[in-house]
Amino acid sequence: MTSRILLVGILALAVGCGGDDTPSTETNTGSDEKQYTIAVIPKGTSHEFWKSVHAGAQNAADELGNVEVLWKGPLLESDTKGQVDVVQDFIVKKVDGICLAPLDSQALIEHVNVAKEAGIPVVIFDSGLDDESNTVSYVATDNWHGGELAAQTLAESIGGKGNVILLRYKTGSESTEQREEGFLAKLKEAYPEVNVISSDQYAGVTPEEAFANATQILQKYEGQVNGIFAVCEPNGEGVRKAIEQLGLTGKVKFVGFDPNKPLIDGLTNDQVHGIVLQDPVKMGYLAVMSMMKHLQGEEVDKRIGTGEFVATPENMNTEEMQRLLKPEQY
């Protein structure tokens, strides 16, 4: 019922707006090929990961030739309301399809349902929803497996025994929650001599918050902790900086998730001992391609994986790792 009320309100706005900024889905090229507008909505726009997703989405549009990608998202990954507003705006504009990386696994369900009722299909990417019944497909990393790879890398870096910390990201983020639980499950299953001394602390959504929280927890367990795992890029940078400033380089082994330049540099100076890698360019590319297949009546797999990898000081200079450590950006 709530989604129907929302839909009525949104469609009423559409009638009222009706200006020149509404994307047209009927424009044809000289060869009478239909043109499509696909909205791609990331969790945020400030982190390097999303710039690479954007590049992949644009690569798909360029390859297809009859697709315009409309890229818009909140600045910060804490702004769920801002992301909801973006979704609603694109429904009003009657785009042909929406590719969405939801900031919250529950809060966006209702708005995906509204989009479907308005005749706008939705592909979910990067992070899932608790209810996938009204989505076309889910294009993402296997984040549970990514967490397992982090556990294996961290455990091996401390010699298979010792005390480690899991620094979480934020509640409601399905992708990072999967990484966290995969990490804990793998340690419990395969590394009985690795003790998790803290797994309930949150880093926050910015490098600054992560630095403050990592500093606090590393000081709390000073002399006891052998390793730490941070589950995403902004958290990773905060932890790396905390390790450096506390004089713990080499003493506390560190595994991050997603690269940026300081983390990559950390692989060469004993600050970082592994980075779990996704393929964000491929993710953006496949999200748009999956949407276009659906719009053209083709069958699309309900789940599409994009791969998980680990860069270490030993393998970081291989061609494949260099491609993933320094992905194309828009």
Side-chain angles (χ1 to χ4, degrees):
M1 177 65 73
T2 304
S3 64
R4 290 182 179 177
I5 293 171
L6 276 172
L7 178 59
V8 170
I10 288 172
L11 292 178
L13 280 172
V15 172
C17 291
D20 293 338
D21 61 343
T22 302
S24 171
T25 60
E26 300 300 327
T27 302
N28 292 326
T29 64
S31 60
D32 293 329
E33 184 179 38
K34 181 178 177 179
Q35 298 294 293
Y36 294 86
T37 54
I38 297 178
V40 183
I41 307 172
K43 288 182 176 180
T45 53
S46 58
H47 299 148
E48 293 185 19
F49 178 84
W50 300 115
K51 297 174 185 177
S52 294
V53 172
H54 191 180
Q58 191 58 52
N59 288 347
D62 293 343
E63 181 178 320
L64 291 163
N66 63 331
V67 173
E68 180 185 9
V69 165
L70 304 178
W71 175 269
K72 188 177 182 181
L75 179 64
L76 298 178
E77 295 184 21
S78 56
D79 189 6
T80 302
K81 181 184 181 302
Q83 190 180 55
V84 166
D85 291 343
V86 172
V87 173
Q88 292 179 334
D89 181 57
F90 280 129
I91 294 172
V92 168
K93 291 180 177 178
K94 300 181 181 179
V95 294
D96 292 296
I98 293 173
C99 297
L100 170 68
L103 270 170
D104 190 286
S105 60
Q106 295 184 1
L108 274 296
I109 293 173
E110 181 178 14
H111 305 282
V112 168
N113 295 344
V114 170
K116 184 176 181 181
E117 290 184 21
I120 301 172
V122 178
V123 165
I124 298 299
F125 70 93
D126 179 68
S127 191
L129 293 175
D130 289 347
D131 180 0
E132 299 178 350
S133 59
N134 284 329
T135 63
V136 172
S137 184
Y138 176 36
V139 180
T141 304
D142 182 340
N143 286 291
W144 182 282
H145 183 230
E148 290 181 321
L149 291 176
Q152 179 181 338
T153 304
L154 188 59
E156 290 177 356
S157 75
I158 64 172
K161 60 183 178 180
N163 298 325
V164 301
I165 292 170
L166 165 64
L167 199 56
R168 295 179 183 265
Y169 176 53
K170 66 184 272 296
T171 57
S173 172
E174 189 268 353
S175 59
T176 50
E177 288 175 349
Q178 287 290 305
R179 296 169 197 172
E180 293 154 7
E181 298 313 313
F183 175 81
L184 294 172
K186 184 66 173 180
L187 289 181
K188 184 177 181 180
E189 169 199 339
Y191 300 97
E193 293 187 78
V194 175
N195 180 39
V196 181
I197 57 176
S198 176
S199 64
D200 61 354
Q201 297 301 302
Y202 288 82
V205 300
T206 67
E208 294 76 20
E209 289 176 330
F211 170 69
N213 290 322
T215 298
Q216 184 178 37
I217 198 165
L218 287 169
Q219 288 177 327
K220 178 180 179 180
Y221 292 102
E222 184 177 1
Q224 303 176 54
V225 59
N226 304 108
I228 187 168
F229 172 45
V231 300
C232 60
E233 178 201 331
N235 288 182
E237 174 49 21
V239 171
R240 185 208 62 78
K241 186 177 178 182
I243 288 172
E244 179 183 48
Q245 296 206 3
L246 291 172
L248 296 174
T249 297
K251 299 175 184 177
V252 175
K253 306 298 185 182
F254 169 45
V255 172
F257 206 114
D258 290 334
N260 59 26
K261 188 178 187 306
L263 292 175
I264 296 169
D265 291 343
L267 288 172
T268 67
N269 61 22
D270 209 24
Q271 288 180 352
V272 181
H273 303 87
I275 305 174
V276 182
L277 303 173
Q278 308 182 75
D279 194 335
V281 176
K282 183 177 182 181
M283 189 182 295
Y285 177 87
L286 289 178
V288 172
M289 284 296 193
S290 299
M291 176 58 71
M292 279 300 293
K293 282 186 177 181
H294 175 77
L295 290 172
Q296 294 175 334
E298 298 180 38
E299 187 174 345
V300 179
D301 290 340
K302 194 67 177 176
R303 286 183 175 262
I304 300 172
T306 54
E308 307 81 43
F309 316 85
V310 181
T312 64
E314 294 74 27
N315 73 6
M316 65 175 291
N317 290 316
T318 64
E319 183 177 350
E320 178 70 353
M321 287 302 109
Q322 283 295 301
R323 181 184 71 81
L324 293 165
L325 283 167
K326 302 172 184 177
E328 177 186 358
Q329 294 187 352
Y330 186 84

